[in-house]
Amino acid sequence: MVTTGGATRGLAQEYAVVTRVPRHDLQTTDPSLLRLPSGRLLATWAFRDHGGPGTPGWDAIPTERVRLATSSDNGATWRELPPIAANTGHPFLHRGELHLLVDGHGRRNLMIARSRDEGESWTPFVTLFEGSYWNTPSGTAVKQDQWYLGFGVPNIDGVYNARGSGLVVLAADLRRDLLQVSSWRLSEPLRYPGTPNSLSAGLSDRPDHWLEPNVVNVRGHLRLVARCRIDHQATANLAAICDVEDGENERPRLSFRQFYPVPGGQGNFYILRDPVGGLFWMLSNLPTDSQNTALMHQLRARGFTEVSGGAGDERRFLVLSFSVDALNWFNACFLAMTPEPLQSFHYATPLIDGEDLLFLSRTSCDAPNQHDSDLITFHRLSGFRRLAPKFLCV
């Protein structure tokens, strides 16, 4: 295990390296973590060129590949499996077998495959829906044998993340074979509703939008909670709440409810419900000074990237929060942190494993900036439930 940060430590600061970039012109992204029926851990991620969506030639980059690795020693060491020609992987278990939901090259089409040997080989991919859909691995929910996932429609107006970006919710019938197209249903895209003037500081002319949604089931009520980039992330800690309605025999429906304060809502966050006690747990990044333009000038001079946002795109403080309703959040702890703003622990994907919380982090250690990560790291927080008062359990 590696320890970072010197005296500045989070409760899950130590990590094992799952992978590092093979070349300096690549970055790691989109990690996911799963416990397989054999007891081994499965990690997935992708390698991409530096820069982000919207940069010249990004959709044509041939290095987008889903990578997989397994660990037989609870995350201490990892063995890579054959890569898959796709953009982002969402691994999950159904009827005891490993499935992989992906979006294809250039964030096009939603496809699925199944493995009966825990990722060593796969069936041919089946295209479920054609079009432009994308999400990094994020929180999902189940209600009455239906599994719900959220995805972004990044070019609903023909331009990536333009004003008017959309969200959809995907529903899978867990009673059926998920390699059958008829087992899946997709909502109509819901367009970004626009930002009230009172929520913007007017520090950027870039279009506001939402992306990277989580779906939660709160006592039978389905909500979609989406990340909001407002004023180039100068308005931080704000997310969008949407209602999910589903008659099961129709397409699910999304409707915008409200903007709501969520810690780290300007960046990627992952919401996970604990079946023990029923609390929701969230991993997210908190910024220190999202509207300080003077700080931004200093950071930019040192290499801080504005691919995703301005000063609010700081990713060096990874925090854990808990909630009863997935709306009102209490801070549990700092999971990992670094005093260096050009380093980061971000896009963390959790897994509840008995009494412990495991997670993978897209980590910038020796990378050029806080966005273009050079590592995927594995972390463990032992006895995480002790961080929440017992009387909050529902």
Side-chain angles (χ1 to χ4, degrees), residues 145-187:
D145 296 315
Q146 302 295 309
W147 182 42
Y148 297 92
L149 309 84
F151 283 84
V153 184
N155 60 352
I156 193 171
D157 291 325
V159 180
Y160 187 90
N161 280 346
R163 191 180 304 276
S165 61
L167 297 176
V168 294
V169 64
L170 183 65
D173 190 337
L174 297 177
R175 299 166 296 187
R176 305 181 60 180
D177 180 358
L178 295 189
L179 263 61
Q180 299 296 318
V181 176
S182 58
S183 301
W184 298 81
R185 294 171 297 124
L186 187 69
S187 71

Side-chain angles (χ1 to χ4, degrees), residues 101-165:
L101 183 67
V102 303
D103 55 281
H105 188 66
R107 298 185 172 177
R108 299 287 303 176
N109 303 339
L110 290 176
M111 303 176 290
I112 191 171
R114 178 168 53 218
S115 173
R116 290 194 165 98
D117 53 14
E118 297 193 337
E120 301 285 349
S121 62
W122 296 87
T123 65
F125 274 92
V126 175
T127 299
L128 300 176
F129 299 97
E130 295 183 348
S132 180
Y133 305 103
W134 175 80
N135 195 3
T136 190
S138 63
T140 66
V142 174
K143 180 182 179 183
Q144 297 176 347
D145 296 315
Q146 302 295 309
W147 182 42
Y148 297 92
L149 309 84
F151 283 84
V153 184
N155 60 352
I156 193 171
D157 291 325
V159 180
Y160 187 90
N161 280 346
R163 191 180 304 276
S165 61

